Amino acid sequence: MLVGSGPRVVAEVIDLIAMWFLIVASGGGTWAVAAAVGVSEPVTVMLVVAVGANVGVGYSVILHAHGRQTLGKRIIGATVTDMHLRTIGHGRALARLIAEIASALPLYLGNLWPLWDP
């Protein structure tokens, strides 16, 4: 289903909130476990960053590769498929995420561009 730019921005905001919630929760859990077992603070910070990065990438890649939609896309009723309406798989989902990150680098303008140029 093709979705307009307004709902896409809403889905992006929902996905960012959901992803950050998961990253913070997993980072907090990692910090607590590391502190409980006596891991030094620099190592704990590296662990929290590594776990957070994996959770963030996993949120997008796994949900797009298997479920065809993230939480935001599910709410607006959009799915991500290939041209034959099949799931895109892990490789394409990762490539999609890398392209999304690259378009977001200049002040997040790549993701906000549809707001003024539909």
Side-chain angles (χ1 to χ4, degrees):
M1 167 182 170
L2 294 175
V3 179
S5 57
R8 286 179 189 222
V9 171
V10 170
E12 182 71 21
V13 170
I14 292 168
D15 285 336
L16 285 173
I17 292 168
M19 188 176 3
W20 280 110
F21 175 78
L22 291 172
I23 289 170
V24 169
S26 65
T30 304
W31 191 279
V33 169
V37 296
V39 177
S40 67
E41 189 169 329
V43 173
T44 301
V45 170
M46 288 188 290
L47 285 171
V48 168
V49 169
V51 168
N54 282 309
V55 167
V57 170
Y59 174 83
S60 181
V61 171
I62 292 170
L63 291 179
H64 282 126
H66 291 288
R68 297 183 182 177
Q69 52 192 184
T70 58
L71 178 63
K73 287 179 183 66
R74 181 172 298 224
I75 289 172
I76 67 165
T79 59
V80 176
T81 62
D82 67 6
M83 292 183 65
H84 303 289
L85 301 177
R86 297 181 304 226
T87 57
I88 60 174
H90 292 94
R92 284 172 146 178
L94 182 60
R96 186 177 194 282
L97 177 62
I98 291 168
E100 185 177 333
I101 291 169
S103 77
L105 287 178
L107 303 173
Y108 214 65
L109 291 177
N111 291 336
L112 296 176
W113 198 264
L115 289 176
W116 54 83
D117 189 21

XYZ file of all heavy atoms in Angstrom:
864
model
N 0.841 -1.174 0.000
C 0.000 0.000 0.000
C 0.890 1.242 0.000
O 1.805 1.360 0.804
C -0.887 -0.045 1.243
C -1.580 1.220 1.549
S -2.549 1.019 3.066
C -2.992 2.678 3.320
N 0.633 2.149 -0.912
C 1.384 3.395 -0.940
C 0.806 4.355 0.090
O -0.400 4.494 0.218
C 1.320 4.025 -2.332
C 2.001 3.230 -3.440
C 1.766 3.896 -4.782
C 3.477 3.111 -3.163
N 1.689 4.998 0.817
C 1.268 5.877 1.903
C 1.835 7.260 1.637
O 2.972 7.408 1.190
C 1.789 5.336 3.256
C 1.392 6.238 4.384
C 1.257 3.937 3.492
N 1.056 8.283 1.948
C 1.493 9.654 1.752
C 2.607 10.060 2.703
O 2.961 9.342 3.643
N 3.152 11.255 2.475
C 4.305 11.708 3.264
C 3.938 12.031 4.708
O 4.746 11.801 5.609
C 4.954 12.912 2.598
O 4.020 13.954 2.422
N 2.748 12.530 4.973
C 2.341 12.843 6.347
C 2.331 11.612 7.244
O 2.977 11.595 8.296
N 1.626 10.549 6.829
C 1.637 9.330 7.635
C 3.032 8.712 7.773
O 3.355 8.116 8.796
C 0.696 8.383 6.879
C -0.222 9.287 6.138
C 0.614 10.478 5.767
N 3.876 8.862 6.749
C 5.240 8.325 6.846
C 6.031 9.024 7.939
O 6.800 8.384 8.653
C 5.973 8.479 5.519
C 5.507 7.521 4.475
C 6.258 7.752 3.198
N 5.670 6.972 2.141
C 6.366 6.306 1.252
N 7.668 6.333 1.285
N 5.763 5.620 0.321
N 5.856 10.323 8.052
C 6.548 11.068 9.108
C 6.038 10.626 10.470
O 6.814 10.430 11.403
C 6.392 12.590 8.905
C 6.923 13.366 10.099
C 7.094 13.033 7.631
N 4.718 10.424 10.589
C 4.140 9.932 11.848
C 4.725 8.565 12.197
O 5.119 8.315 13.336
C 2.591 9.869 11.751
C 2.001 9.140 12.941
C 2.012 11.266 11.632
N 4.804 7.683 11.204
C 5.373 6.349 11.432
C 6.833 6.451 11.857
O 7.281 5.722 12.744
C 5.250 5.505 10.170
N 7.584 7.360 11.245
C 9.001 7.544 11.601
C 9.145 8.001 13.045
O 10.003 7.505 13.779
C 9.640 8.561 10.654
C 11.102 8.794 10.895
C 11.968 7.612 10.491
O 11.538 6.777 9.687
O 13.105 7.542 11.004
N 8.302 8.935 13.461
C 8.357 9.419 14.845
C 8.008 8.293 15.816
O 8.681 8.105 16.835
C 7.422 10.637 15.035
C 7.271 11.000 16.503
C 7.940 11.829 14.244
N 6.972 7.526 15.510
C 6.590 6.398 16.368
C 7.725 5.394 16.455
O 8.056 4.902 17.541
C 5.297 5.736 15.850
C 4.113 6.683 16.031
C 5.034 4.410 16.554
C 2.862 6.254 15.306
N 8.353 5.094 15.318
C 9.462 4.139 15.314
C 10.658 4.653 16.104
O 11.318 3.892 16.807
C 9.886 3.810 13.885
C 8.895 2.888 13.201
O 8.183 2.162 13.910
O 8.843 2.900 11.960
N 10.945 5.944 15.992
C 12.055 6.511 16.773
C 11.784 6.410 18.266
O 12.673 6.047 19.043
C 12.300 7.965 16.378
C 12.995 8.175 15.036
C 13.022 9.655 14.683
C 14.394 7.596 15.054
N 10.565 6.700 18.676
C 10.212 6.600 20.094
C 10.314 5.151 20.561
O 10.895 4.862 21.611
C 8.804 7.175 20.348
C 8.807 8.693 20.130
C 8.314 6.826 21.750
C 7.424 9.314 20.080
N 9.769 4.228 19.781
C 9.813 2.806 20.152
C 11.256 2.307 20.216
O 11.642 1.605 21.158
C 9.010 1.980 19.149
N 12.062 2.689 19.221
C 13.448 2.233 19.193
C 14.232 2.802 20.366
O 14.991 2.088 21.012
C 14.107 2.635 17.868
C 15.465 2.038 17.692
S 16.272 2.362 16.104
C 15.215 3.422 15.210
N 14.054 4.081 20.667
C 14.781 4.673 21.784
C 14.342 4.074 23.112
O 15.162 3.886 24.008
C 14.651 6.198 21.799
C 15.586 6.808 20.823
C 15.268 7.431 19.653
C 17.022 6.829 20.899
N 16.407 7.820 19.010
C 17.502 7.479 19.745
C 17.938 6.355 21.831
C 18.852 7.661 19.508
C 19.291 6.552 21.584
C 19.727 7.189 20.444
N 13.075 3.748 23.236
C 12.603 3.084 24.443
C 13.312 1.743 24.611
O 13.784 1.405 25.699
C 11.084 2.889 24.399
C 10.568 2.099 25.555
C 10.403 2.679 26.801
C 10.253 0.748 25.403
C 9.937 1.938 27.881
C 9.789 0.003 26.467
C 9.629 0.602 27.714
N 13.374 0.962 23.542
C 14.056 -0.339 23.599
C 15.544 -0.186 23.885
O 16.124 -0.963 24.652
C 13.853 -1.101 22.288
C 12.441 -1.591 22.015
C 12.332 -2.143 20.597
C 12.028 -2.631 23.036
N 16.175 0.815 23.281
C 17.607 1.045 23.503
C 17.870 1.435 24.948
O 18.794 0.917 25.589
C 18.143 2.105 22.522
C 18.190 1.524 21.105
C 19.523 2.599 22.938
C 18.471 2.549 20.025
N 17.067 2.344 25.479
C 17.247 2.773 26.869
C 16.989 1.615 27.828
O 17.750 1.404 28.782
C 16.338 3.982 27.186
C 16.296 4.268 28.668
C 16.822 5.215 26.425
N 15.940 0.847 27.575
C 15.633 -0.290 28.455
C 16.739 -1.331 28.420
O 17.178 -1.825 29.471
C 14.297 -0.913 28.054
N 17.213 -1.657 27.225
C 18.286 -2.663 27.134
C 19.592 -2.121 27.691
O 20.352 -2.858 28.331
C 18.466 -3.123 25.689
O 18.908 -2.055 24.881
N 19.850 -0.840 27.477
C 21.064 -0.232 28.034
C 21.030 -0.193 29.545
O 22.036 -0.477 30.212
N 19.879 0.136 30.110
C 19.737 0.140 31.567
C 19.913 -1.243 32.157
O 20.566 -1.420 33.193
N 19.335 -2.237 31.488
C 19.502 -3.612 31.947
C 20.943 -4.065 31.866
O 21.466 -4.716 32.779
N 21.612 -3.699 30.781
C 23.025 -4.050 30.625
C 23.865 -3.388 31.697
O 24.756 -4.012 32.291
C 23.525 -3.635 29.229
O 22.703 -4.247 28.239
C 24.971 -4.024 29.014
N 23.591 -2.118 31.961
C 24.331 -1.382 32.992
C 24.150 -2.039 34.354
O 25.100 -2.214 35.117
C 23.874 0.072 33.034
C 24.751 0.933 33.873
C 24.734 1.066 35.229
C 25.811 1.758 33.420
N 25.700 1.930 35.639
C 26.382 2.377 34.542
C 26.323 2.060 32.160
C 27.441 3.274 34.459
C 27.374 2.956 32.076
C 27.920 3.545 33.214
N 22.905 -2.413 34.676
C 22.619 -3.031 35.975
C 23.330 -4.370 36.129
O 23.921 -4.652 37.184
C 21.108 -3.212 36.141
N 23.301 -5.178 35.085
C 23.972 -6.477 35.151
C 25.474 -6.300 35.262
O 26.139 -6.962 36.071
C 23.602 -7.352 33.927
C 24.478 -8.582 33.842
C 22.130 -7.736 33.976
N 26.027 -5.401 34.477
C 27.478 -5.163 34.519
C 27.909 -4.647 35.886
O 28.949 -5.045 36.416
C 27.886 -4.186 33.418
N 27.105 -3.768 36.463
C 27.435 -3.243 37.792
C 27.328 -4.344 38.846
O 28.135 -4.399 39.782
C 26.510 -2.081 38.141
N 26.358 -5.221 38.698
C 26.163 -6.294 39.679
C 27.313 -7.297 39.682
O 27.659 -7.834 40.728
C 24.847 -7.018 39.409
N 27.918 -7.510 38.517
C 29.019 -8.475 38.455
C 30.385 -7.807 38.599
O 31.402 -8.484 38.556
C 28.971 -9.333 37.166
C 27.725 -10.173 37.135
C 29.105 -8.479 35.935
N 30.403 -6.483 38.765
C 31.650 -5.776 39.035
C 32.483 -5.414 37.821
O 33.697 -5.288 37.927
N 31.874 -5.213 36.680
C 32.602 -4.804 35.480
C 32.990 -3.335 35.619
O 32.220 -2.522 36.141
C 31.731 -5.028 34.220
C 32.429 -4.545 32.970
C 31.348 -6.489 34.094
N 34.176 -2.974 35.146
C 34.634 -1.584 35.265
C 33.745 -0.656 34.427
O 33.113 -1.076 33.462
C 36.090 -1.454 34.804
O 36.176 -1.687 33.419
N 33.737 0.613 34.789
C 32.854 1.564 34.123
C 33.149 1.734 32.632
O 32.213 1.765 31.827
C 32.883 2.927 34.826
C 31.816 3.844 34.295
C 31.649 5.085 35.139
O 31.869 5.039 36.364
O 31.310 6.115 34.553
N 34.406 1.856 32.187
C 34.640 1.979 30.743
C 34.140 0.768 29.947
O 33.567 0.918 28.867
C 36.161 2.108 30.627
C 36.608 2.590 31.962
C 35.647 2.013 32.949
N 34.321 -0.413 30.495
C 33.838 -1.620 29.814
C 32.315 -1.632 29.819
O 31.680 -2.003 28.821
C 34.408 -2.889 30.478
C 33.788 -4.145 29.893
C 35.924 -2.923 30.344
N 31.714 -1.203 30.901
C 30.259 -1.137 30.984
C 29.704 -0.194 29.929
O 28.712 -0.511 29.262
C 29.808 -0.687 32.389
O 30.306 -1.621 33.343
C 28.304 -0.605 32.495
N 30.330 0.961 29.770
C 29.877 1.925 28.761
C 29.963 1.309 27.367
O 29.041 1.443 26.554
C 30.687 3.235 28.852
C 30.397 4.144 27.661
C 30.383 3.952 30.154
N 31.072 0.620 27.075
C 31.210 -0.026 25.767
C 30.138 -1.089 25.566
O 29.584 -1.224 24.475
C 32.603 -0.629 25.619
C 33.688 0.418 25.439
S 35.295 -0.270 25.026
C 35.739 -1.059 26.558
N 29.835 -1.848 26.617
C 28.786 -2.862 26.523
C 27.417 -2.237 26.261
O 26.645 -2.722 25.431
C 28.727 -3.696 27.799
C 29.812 -4.733 28.000
C 29.733 -5.318 29.406
C 29.697 -5.835 26.962
N 27.128 -1.154 26.973
C 25.837 -0.476 26.799
C 25.701 0.062 25.377
O 24.655 -0.084 24.736
C 25.672 0.649 27.842
C 24.497 1.551 27.502
C 25.498 0.053 29.234
N 26.763 0.659 24.856
C 26.733 1.186 23.487
C 26.551 0.049 22.483
O 25.755 0.152 21.548
C 28.005 2.005 23.187
C 28.121 2.337 21.709
C 28.019 3.282 24.015
N 27.281 -1.050 22.670
C 27.177 -2.192 21.749
C 25.778 -2.798 21.779
O 25.189 -3.084 20.719
C 28.224 -3.244 22.103
N 25.238 -2.985 22.966
C 23.890 -3.554 23.082
C 22.865 -2.597 22.473
O 21.976 -3.008 21.720
C 23.544 -3.875 24.558
C 22.063 -4.173 24.726
C 24.378 -5.042 25.050
N 22.990 -1.305 22.758
C 22.061 -0.323 22.198
C 22.097 -0.281 20.683
O 21.055 -0.225 20.023
N 23.296 -0.325 20.112
C 23.419 -0.316 18.652
C 22.788 -1.565 18.048
O 22.074 -1.488 17.035
C 24.885 -0.216 18.254
N 23.018 -2.707 18.663
C 22.433 -3.947 18.149
C 20.916 -3.950 18.264
O 20.220 -4.434 17.370
C 23.018 -5.160 18.867
C 24.386 -5.511 18.348
O 24.570 -5.644 17.147
N 25.343 -5.639 19.229
N 20.396 -3.409 19.343
C 18.944 -3.340 19.507
C 18.353 -2.394 18.462
O 17.330 -2.700 17.838
C 18.569 -2.885 20.941
C 17.109 -2.497 21.043
C 18.895 -3.984 21.930
N 18.987 -1.248 18.243
C 18.487 -0.300 17.241
C 18.487 -0.868 15.836
O 17.502 -0.752 15.100
N 19.583 -1.497 15.453
C 19.660 -2.123 14.126
C 18.681 -3.293 14.043
O 17.962 -3.442 13.055
C 21.105 -2.574 13.820
C 21.157 -3.442 12.579
C 22.013 -1.367 13.668
N 18.634 -4.092 15.085
C 17.740 -5.250 15.092
C 16.281 -4.860 14.974
O 15.505 -5.536 14.286
N 15.891 -3.774 15.631
C 14.494 -3.319 15.555
C 14.082 -3.132 14.107
O 13.063 -3.660 13.663
C 14.330 -2.004 16.336
C 12.964 -1.379 16.200
C 11.912 -1.802 16.996
C 12.714 -0.360 15.288
C 10.649 -1.245 16.886
C 11.464 0.197 15.162
C 10.432 -0.240 15.968
O 9.180 0.309 15.845
N 14.880 -2.401 13.369
C 14.529 -2.113 11.980
C 14.698 -3.319 11.078
O 13.790 -3.680 10.319
C 15.379 -0.952 11.467
O 15.042 -0.647 10.146
N 15.840 -3.962 11.147
C 16.144 -5.053 10.214
C 15.218 -6.249 10.437
O 14.625 -6.764 9.484
C 17.628 -5.470 10.322
C 17.899 -6.732 9.529
C 18.522 -4.334 9.841
N 15.078 -6.692 11.652
C 14.263 -7.886 11.910
C 12.790 -7.631 11.605
O 12.126 -8.459 10.972
C 14.457 -8.380 13.357
C 15.877 -8.920 13.511
C 13.434 -9.445 13.723
C 16.275 -9.226 14.928
N 12.283 -6.488 12.018
C 10.860 -6.226 11.769
C 10.568 -6.052 10.284
O 9.526 -6.501 9.797
C 10.392 -5.014 12.570
C 10.331 -5.236 14.077
C 9.874 -3.972 14.788
C 9.424 -6.397 14.441
N 11.475 -5.407 9.541
C 11.250 -5.273 8.100
C 11.452 -6.602 7.373
O 10.727 -6.915 6.435
C 12.175 -4.214 7.493
C 11.719 -2.825 7.746
N 12.524 -1.874 8.316
C 10.534 -2.207 7.522
C 11.866 -0.746 8.426
N 10.652 -0.922 7.955
N 12.438 -7.379 7.799
C 12.742 -8.627 7.101
C 11.704 -9.713 7.363
O 11.414 -10.510 6.480
C 14.121 -9.135 7.518
N 11.140 -9.748 8.548
C 10.200 -10.826 8.881
C 8.743 -10.373 8.908
O 7.879 -11.053 8.377
C 10.555 -11.452 10.234
C 11.831 -12.211 10.192
N 11.955 -13.410 9.554
C 13.046 -11.915 10.687
C 13.193 -13.840 9.651
N 13.879 -12.952 10.341
N 8.481 -9.258 9.537
C 7.100 -8.848 9.713
C 6.603 -7.844 8.706
O 5.443 -7.470 8.706
N 7.495 -7.364 7.827
C 7.182 -6.376 6.794
C 6.840 -4.996 7.331
O 6.577 -4.091 6.562
C 6.032 -6.841 5.904
C 6.309 -8.067 5.126
C 5.152 -8.397 4.238
N 5.427 -9.621 3.526
C 4.579 -10.189 2.716
N 3.408 -9.659 2.522
N 4.909 -11.299 2.113
N 6.806 -4.833 8.646
C 6.466 -3.514 9.164
C 6.970 -3.341 10.590
O 7.019 -4.287 11.365
C 4.958 -3.256 9.102
C 4.126 -4.319 9.728
C 2.647 -4.191 9.419
O 1.902 -4.955 9.937
N 2.209 -3.258 8.613
N 7.332 -2.113 10.891
C 7.696 -1.747 12.247
C 6.434 -1.308 12.967
O 5.348 -1.289 12.380
C 8.719 -0.598 12.225
O 8.134 0.500 11.518
C 10.029 -1.010 11.571
N 6.553 -0.930 14.218
C 5.383 -0.479 14.969
C 4.723 0.724 14.292
O 3.503 0.763 14.130
C 5.790 -0.130 16.407
C 4.679 0.405 17.300
C 3.588 -0.638 17.495
C 5.246 0.833 18.641
N 5.524 1.695 13.886
C 4.975 2.880 13.224
C 4.253 2.534 11.930
O 3.169 3.049 11.647
N 4.853 1.679 11.130
C 4.217 1.283 9.871
C 2.941 0.475 10.124
O 1.979 0.583 9.384
C 5.202 0.499 9.013
C 6.277 1.380 8.418
C 7.240 0.588 7.590
C 8.348 1.467 7.077
N 9.213 1.992 8.113
N 2.958 -0.324 11.167
C 1.754 -1.094 11.501
C 0.612 -0.147 11.867
O -0.535 -0.357 11.470
C 2.030 -2.044 12.652
C 0.827 -2.889 13.035
C 1.200 -3.925 14.030
N 2.185 -4.794 13.382
C 2.166 -6.114 13.452
N 1.273 -6.714 14.178
N 3.067 -6.822 12.835
N 0.917 0.895 12.620
C -0.124 1.840 13.048
C -0.729 2.580 11.860
O -1.943 2.789 11.803
C 0.438 2.810 14.108
C 0.656 2.041 15.417
C -0.472 4.006 14.318
C 1.370 2.814 16.492
N 0.107 2.956 10.869
C -0.435 3.674 9.707
C -0.903 2.737 8.595
O -1.466 3.178 7.610
C 0.571 4.701 9.141
C 1.778 4.003 8.527
C 0.957 5.716 10.186
C 2.622 4.907 7.653
N -0.656 1.430 8.763
C -1.137 0.457 7.793
C -0.239 0.262 6.585
O -0.708 -0.159 5.527
N 1.050 0.540 6.709
C 1.987 0.374 5.602
C 2.827 -0.885 5.795
O 3.077 -1.302 6.921
C 2.908 1.589 5.521
N 3.244 -1.472 4.702
C 4.148 -2.616 4.754
C 5.311 -2.374 3.799
O 5.204 -1.598 2.860
C 3.446 -3.932 4.355
O 2.928 -3.794 3.037
C 2.332 -4.275 5.317
N 6.426 -3.069 4.043
C 7.597 -2.994 3.181
C 7.751 -4.348 2.510
O 7.938 -5.363 3.179
C 8.863 -2.651 4.002
C 10.096 -2.662 3.116
C 8.705 -1.295 4.673
N 7.654 -4.354 1.184
C 7.773 -5.600 0.421
C 8.648 -5.356 -0.799
O 8.930 -4.216 -1.159
C 6.393 -6.092 -0.060
O 5.827 -5.124 -0.938
C 5.460 -6.340 1.101
N 9.024 -6.454 -1.467
C 9.716 -6.304 -2.740
C 8.652 -6.129 -3.835
O 7.461 -5.999 -3.549
C 10.653 -7.482 -3.003
C 9.930 -8.804 -3.213
O 8.685 -8.822 -3.272
O 10.623 -9.823 -3.308
N 9.085 -6.121 -5.073
C 8.138 -5.880 -6.167
C 7.118 -6.999 -6.342
O 6.080 -6.811 -6.974
C 8.909 -5.657 -7.473
C 9.701 -4.362 -7.449
S 10.558 -4.023 -8.978
C 9.202 -3.798 -10.084
N 7.415 -8.165 -5.770
C 6.497 -9.294 -5.870
C 5.694 -9.492 -4.586
O 5.138 -10.558 -4.363
C 7.283 -10.561 -6.209
C 8.089 -10.424 -7.472
N 7.516 -10.364 -8.713
C 9.422 -10.289 -7.665
C 8.448 -10.223 -9.622
N 9.622 -10.169 -9.021
N 5.684 -8.460 -3.742
C 4.946 -8.433 -2.481
C 5.425 -9.472 -1.472
O 4.672 -9.946 -0.641
C 3.437 -8.578 -2.717
C 2.811 -7.507 -3.611
C 1.339 -7.786 -3.834
C 3.019 -6.119 -3.031
N 6.717 -9.825 -1.546
C 7.329 -10.736 -0.586
C 8.150 -9.928 0.409
O 8.479 -8.776 0.170
C 8.242 -11.734 -1.314
C 7.508 -12.636 -2.279
C 8.464 -13.603 -2.922
N 9.542 -12.860 -3.565
C 9.993 -13.091 -4.786
N 9.480 -14.047 -5.508
N 10.969 -12.364 -5.284
N 8.490 -10.573 1.520
C 9.353 -9.889 2.494
C 10.702 -9.578 1.851
O 11.127 -10.270 0.913
C 9.566 -10.755 3.750
O 10.122 -12.001 3.363
C 8.263 -10.961 4.489
N 11.387 -8.550 2.359
C 12.609 -8.098 1.700
C 13.857 -8.832 2.169
O 14.899 -8.736 1.535
C 12.796 -6.580 1.873
C 12.896 -6.176 3.339
C 11.696 -5.835 1.155
C 13.227 -4.716 3.560
N 13.805 -9.561 3.253
C 14.965 -10.302 3.729
C 15.927 -9.427 4.517
O 15.842 -8.199 4.505
N 16.868 -10.083 5.195
C 17.777 -9.371 6.085
C 18.733 -8.440 5.348
O 19.001 -7.328 5.795
C 18.583 -10.368 6.923
C 17.744 -11.098 7.912
N 17.202 -12.325 7.637
C 17.335 -10.750 9.145
C 16.489 -12.717 8.680
N 16.548 -11.791 9.605
N 19.287 -8.886 4.224
C 20.245 -8.064 3.482
C 19.639 -6.778 2.971
O 20.208 -5.690 3.132
N 18.479 -6.868 2.355
C 17.810 -5.673 1.858
C 17.333 -4.777 3.005
O 17.350 -3.561 2.888
C 16.635 -6.053 0.988
C 17.035 -6.519 -0.374
C 15.812 -7.053 -1.043
N 15.805 -6.815 -2.460
C 14.835 -7.232 -3.239
N 13.805 -7.877 -2.724
N 14.877 -7.017 -4.524
N 16.889 -5.387 4.085
C 16.454 -4.591 5.236
C 17.635 -3.820 5.819
O 17.499 -2.653 6.189
C 15.829 -5.483 6.298
N 18.818 -4.449 5.881
C 20.006 -3.761 6.368
C 20.426 -2.654 5.402
O 20.760 -1.542 5.830
C 21.150 -4.752 6.581
C 22.441 -4.163 7.137
C 22.201 -3.515 8.500
C 23.505 -5.250 7.244
N 20.395 -2.930 4.096
C 20.720 -1.901 3.104
C 19.739 -0.728 3.204
O 20.131 0.438 3.083
C 20.698 -2.501 1.708
N 18.482 -1.032 3.444
C 17.461 0.011 3.604
C 17.765 0.877 4.821
O 17.644 2.101 4.775
C 16.098 -0.681 3.756
C 14.922 0.211 3.787
C 13.655 -0.656 3.871
N 12.482 0.118 3.586
C 11.906 0.950 4.440
N 12.416 1.101 5.637
N 10.832 1.627 4.104
N 18.178 0.250 5.908
C 18.527 0.988 7.122
C 19.748 1.870 6.892
O 19.777 3.023 7.320
C 18.772 0.032 8.282
C 19.215 0.665 9.597
C 18.134 1.606 10.133
C 19.552 -0.407 10.606
N 20.761 1.343 6.212
C 21.966 2.130 5.923
C 21.612 3.343 5.062
O 22.082 4.459 5.313
C 23.043 1.249 5.261
C 23.570 0.233 6.272
C 24.180 2.099 4.692
C 24.421 -0.860 5.675
N 20.758 3.164 4.056
C 20.323 4.279 3.221
C 19.526 5.295 4.032
O 19.668 6.515 3.848
C 19.491 3.767 2.048
N 18.704 4.816 4.945
C 17.920 5.723 5.791
C 18.828 6.536 6.711
O 18.631 7.735 6.895
C 16.923 4.922 6.618
C 15.983 5.784 7.428
C 14.948 4.966 8.178
O 14.599 3.861 7.731
O 14.489 5.460 9.219
N 19.846 5.894 7.267
C 20.804 6.608 8.124
C 21.566 7.643 7.306
O 21.752 8.785 7.740
C 21.759 5.615 8.811
C 20.988 4.793 9.848
C 22.935 6.346 9.463
C 21.766 3.607 10.400
N 21.994 7.270 6.091
C 22.729 8.209 5.236
C 21.873 9.417 4.876
O 22.375 10.547 4.850
C 23.207 7.500 3.970
N 20.591 9.210 4.620
C 19.728 10.346 4.278
C 19.407 11.200 5.498
O 19.052 12.363 5.369
C 18.436 9.867 3.621
O 17.537 9.355 4.569
N 19.561 10.631 6.684
C 19.272 11.378 7.913
C 20.473 12.195 8.391
O 20.310 13.090 9.215
C 18.834 10.428 9.018
N 21.657 11.897 7.896
C 22.857 12.567 8.406
C 22.829 14.092 8.274
O 23.184 14.778 9.218
C 24.108 11.987 7.748
C 24.481 10.586 8.234
C 25.699 10.091 7.476
C 24.723 10.545 9.721
N 22.433 14.656 7.136
C 22.418 16.122 7.080
C 21.195 16.708 7.798
O 20.172 16.978 7.187
C 22.403 16.436 5.596
C 21.781 15.240 4.964
C 22.115 14.071 5.852
N 21.282 16.824 9.106
C 20.231 17.437 9.938
C 18.875 16.741 9.820
O 17.839 17.364 9.959
C 20.079 18.922 9.608
C 21.335 19.766 9.755
C 21.100 21.159 9.236
C 21.807 19.787 11.194
N 18.881 15.460 9.539
C 17.670 14.658 9.404
C 16.797 15.111 8.231
O 15.630 14.766 8.123
C 16.876 14.671 10.711
C 16.164 13.381 10.990
C 16.881 12.222 11.232
C 14.784 13.305 10.987
C 16.243 11.033 11.477
C 14.135 12.112 11.232
C 14.875 10.980 11.476
O 14.244 9.790 11.712
N 17.382 15.894 7.324
C 16.602 16.444 6.222
C 16.098 15.383 5.247
O 15.034 15.542 4.656
C 17.429 17.492 5.467
C 17.689 18.775 6.235
C 18.575 19.703 5.417
C 16.394 19.465 6.585
N 16.841 14.315 5.049
C 16.400 13.281 4.119
C 15.072 12.667 4.517
O 14.242 12.347 3.663
N 14.841 12.515 5.810
C 13.575 11.934 6.264
C 12.465 12.969 6.370
O 11.290 12.621 6.332
C 13.768 11.242 7.611
C 14.621 10.002 7.489
O 14.707 9.408 6.423
N 15.260 9.611 8.562
N 12.822 14.226 6.517
C 11.804 15.273 6.638
C 11.456 15.923 5.298
O 10.476 16.649 5.200
C 12.281 16.350 7.627
C 12.475 15.878 9.067
C 13.037 17.000 9.908
C 11.166 15.380 9.645
N 12.252 15.656 4.261
C 12.045 16.287 2.959
C 10.623 16.139 2.428
O 10.076 17.074 1.852
C 13.048 15.739 1.945
C 13.183 16.612 0.762
C 12.532 16.473 -0.434
C 13.990 17.774 0.647
N 12.882 17.469 -1.288
C 13.780 18.295 -0.636
C 14.856 18.429 1.507
C 14.424 19.436 -1.097
C 15.483 19.557 1.049
C 15.270 20.049 -0.224
N 9.952 15.002 2.590
C 8.582 14.871 2.065
C 7.588 15.877 2.652
O 6.534 16.103 2.076
C 8.172 13.447 2.444
C 9.443 12.724 2.614
C 10.429 13.737 3.129
N 7.915 16.481 3.784
C 6.995 17.453 4.376
C 6.794 18.685 3.489
O 5.722 19.267 3.443
C 7.471 17.886 5.752
C 7.364 16.832 6.849
C 7.962 17.370 8.146
C 5.910 16.429 7.058
N 7.858 19.121 2.786
C 7.698 20.305 1.947
C 7.854 20.002 0.471
O 7.729 20.893 -0.352
C 8.671 21.414 2.377
C 10.095 20.996 2.426
C 10.977 20.929 1.388
C 10.823 20.609 3.568
N 12.190 20.495 1.819
C 12.133 20.310 3.165
C 10.501 20.481 4.923
C 13.113 19.878 4.049
C 11.487 20.065 5.800
C 12.770 19.777 5.360
N 8.095 18.759 0.078
C 8.210 18.400 -1.328
C 7.546 17.045 -1.579
O 8.219 16.050 -1.825
C 9.681 18.360 -1.745
C 9.842 18.199 -3.250
O 8.893 18.503 -3.989
O 10.920 17.763 -3.679
N 6.215 16.987 -1.504
C 5.532 15.688 -1.659
C 5.620 15.221 -3.047
O 5.601 14.636 -3.826
C 4.103 15.976 -1.261
C 3.937 17.424 -1.205
C 5.295 18.039 -1.212
